[in-house]
Amino acid sequence: MDSNSSVHVVLFPFMSKGHIIPILNLARLLLLRRGITITIFTTPANSPFIRKSLPDTQPTVSIIELEFPSNIPELPPGVESTDQLPSMSLFVPLANATKLMQPDFERALHYLSASGCGVSFIISDGFLGWTLQSAQKFSIPRLVFYGMNNYVKTICRVLAVDRSHLKLGPDEPFTVPGFPSIKLTLNDFDAPLNGSESDGAHVEFIIEATIATSKSQGLVVNSFYELEPAYVDYWNREFVPKAWCVGPLSWVEPTRSDRKKEKPDWIKWLDQKSVEGRSVLYIAFGSQAEITKEQLREMAIGLERSEVSFFWVVRSKGSEVLEELEEKVKGRGLVVREWVDQVEILRHDSVKGFMSHCGWNSALESICAAVPILAWPMMADQHLNARMVAEELSVGLRIMASNGSVRGFVGADIVEKMVKKLMEGEEGEEVRRKVKDVGEAARKAVEESGSSWRTLDQLIDETCMNMDPTHVLL
């Protein structure tokens, strides 16, 4: 890219921390190139988090707030993000409500064009498929960000066409056409790929998003080529739009030099574990996992019996059942209910394992920190991510339900067994060695000579080259 060129990128993340955070890291990655300015669109309730996350990027980053629609029948008043939803069953109403923001979004694009701040291209979340129409009105290329890896995207696209797996039982294994080494079950999928839904608002939303994606300029992927070359190549050979691997985006997390000198209590606790020579298992399941009290209780019993040191970040309702555990393991285990800096935790030298829901952000952050994963997926793409972590990459182990399925109740005995296996067993040592190698490959990918760095440069060049120089002013 010509260092003297002026490129203006619009970023529009979906209203969910798991989607916003990687987009903010992408903004930082873009700003490492000269001549780039960025405008981020969000809503008033999400704006403070974004502004707090980007304090050192002014004046090259502007933030435009669009009012989130009010009086949506299914949504509680004031809810503007998934982490505020009382249940993830309300995801589709939240996502569909964003369509009502389209007129304000287009007025803002018009203002940017009219004020001489022409937009070079838009990167918007795949859940905001309606932004394609807006981009087309202004002759602006639109790229899509889903936050998924190529392994998941490719499998889901192949199985959306070949639906023979829908005839099988929920735990009956099958292979994926074109990838005979992959063994999956229906329980690895949510609707509609598990056959439980054939119509309705959820299916309609997925179809709309898929069509908008297929008509967009490209896919921006939080992954790196060396991690999954067969799936990147297959996608770019068989499907559209082109996938651009520019990650891992967590490598460009902001430096923490601006942190107050006083360390958070949880970092002090980890520091103490280092002094004691104790390895710590970090446990977190994201902000949207809905875990029953019964399951939390079994997890607590298993962790207590394991005698492993652990740091458990709990967001689930009903976490009061863990109060007894906190008393029993005081000093050895720490339960935290506040927001923590996950990247900093994973990079702490005392943390030697991560029990995770396998959201892709968390999986990549763990890989980058060379911390092996104990995969316990809950929803969405997490089951496929868990397969990838344990079976494709061999950087983690997998927790299975008591009935042998990939879904279902997990007893305390299984929790105890798998925690010990990861933290103390030979299998844990094997995946620890493997994740160190993969983490090093991730670091090299985002260096200036690396594959992801070069790919982002190519993306900018090709997208700007295809841009219509005369934006339409409406």
Side-chain angles (χ1 to χ4, degrees), residues 235-255:
W235 178 277
N236 284 336
R237 185 173 65 248
E238 301 293 334
F239 305 127
V240 293
K242 182 177 179 179
W244 303 84
C245 292
V246 300
L249 297 175
S250 60
W251 269 119
V252 286
E253 277 277 326
T255 57

Side-chain angles (χ1 to χ4, degrees), residues 210-245:
T210 301
I211 292 173
T213 296
S214 67
K215 295 180 179 180
S216 297
Q217 189 90 11
L219 279 162
V220 180
V221 184
N222 186 13
S223 184
F224 57 104
Y225 181 79
E226 293 82 359
L227 189 72
E228 43 177 352
Y231 302 99
V232 180
D233 292 342
Y234 188 94
W235 178 277
N236 284 336
R237 185 173 65 248
E238 301 293 334
F239 305 127
V240 293
K242 182 177 179 179
W244 303 84
C245 292

Side-chain angles (χ1 to χ4, degrees), residues 12 16 78 98 128 163 168 264 276 283 296 346 371 376 409 418 426 452 471:
F12 199 162
S16 173
T98 67
L128 304 175
R163 301 172 66 81
L168 304 174
E276 296 170 2
I283 307 168
L296 286 170
L346 288 169
V371 174
W376 191 340
F409 190 78
M418 294 308 298
E426 290 184 10
S452 291
H471 290 179

Side-chain angles (χ1 to χ4, degrees), residues 12-24 42-43 46 49-50 68 80-85 88 91 94 98 125 127-128 145-146 286-288 361 379:
F12 199 162
F14 184 67
M15 299 79 192
S16 173
K17 293 291 194 299
H19 292 237
I20 293 173
I21 290 171
I23 285 285
L24 298 184
T42 189
T43 69
N46 290 288
F49 176 80
I50 292 176
F68 192 85
E80 296 184 14
S81 62
T82 57
D83 52 300
Q84 297 174 327
L85 290 174
M88 282 304 290
F91 165 77
L94 177 78
T98 67
D125 197 281
F127 293 156
L128 304 175
F145 180 84
Y146 273 106
S287 58
Q288 277 128 42
N361 290 334
M379 54 183 276

Side-chain angles (χ1 to χ4, degrees), residues 116-135:
C117 302
V119 178
S120 304
F121 56 90
I122 296 169
I123 301 176
S124 63
D125 197 281
F127 293 156
L128 304 175
W130 53 267
T131 58
L132 174 66
Q133 294 177 334
S134 302

Side-chain angles (χ1 to χ4, degrees), residues 244-360:
W244 303 84
C245 292
V246 300
L249 297 175
S250 60
W251 269 119
V252 286
E253 277 277 326
T255 57
R256 285 150 179 85
S257 59
D258 58 344
R259 182 185 292 287
K260 295 178 182 178
K261 290 184 179 180
E262 182 65 22
K263 293 180 180 180
D265 289 341
W266 36 271
I267 287 293
K268 293 178 181 177
W269 188 87
L270 289 173
D271 288 344
Q272 182 59 35
K273 295 303 111 181
S274 289
V275 171
E276 296 170 2
R278 296 207 59 136
S279 297
V280 175
L281 174 69
Y282 172 52
I283 307 168
F285 294 93
S287 58
Q288 277 128 42
E290 298 175 358
I291 307 174
T292 66
K293 287 185 180 182
E294 292 74 19
Q295 185 62 84
L296 286 170
R297 191 175 289 111
E298 288 293 302
M299 294 166 70
I301 295 170
L303 286 166
E304 180 192 350
R305 291 176 181 170
S306 74
E307 299 186 352
V308 166
S309 292
F310 64 87
F311 176 1
W312 189 354
V313 179
V314 183
R315 297 288 178 85
S316 303
K317 298 173 185 175
S319 64
E320 63 273 6
V321 303
L322 303 181
E323 291 174 2
E324 183 179 349
L325 171 71
E326 293 178 76
E327 285 299 318
K328 289 182 177 179
V329 299
K330 190 172 288 184
R332 173 167 70 86
L334 180 66
V335 178
V336 175
R337 294 172 176 82
E338 63 188 84
W339 182 90
V340 299
D341 187 330
Q342 179 161 288
V343 170
E344 185 172 16
I345 290 168
L346 288 169
R347 292 176 181 174
H348 197 280
D349 60 9
S350 68
V351 175
K352 303 300 182 183
F354 182 15
M355 183 189 289
S356 171
H357 63 314
C358 266
W360 187 236

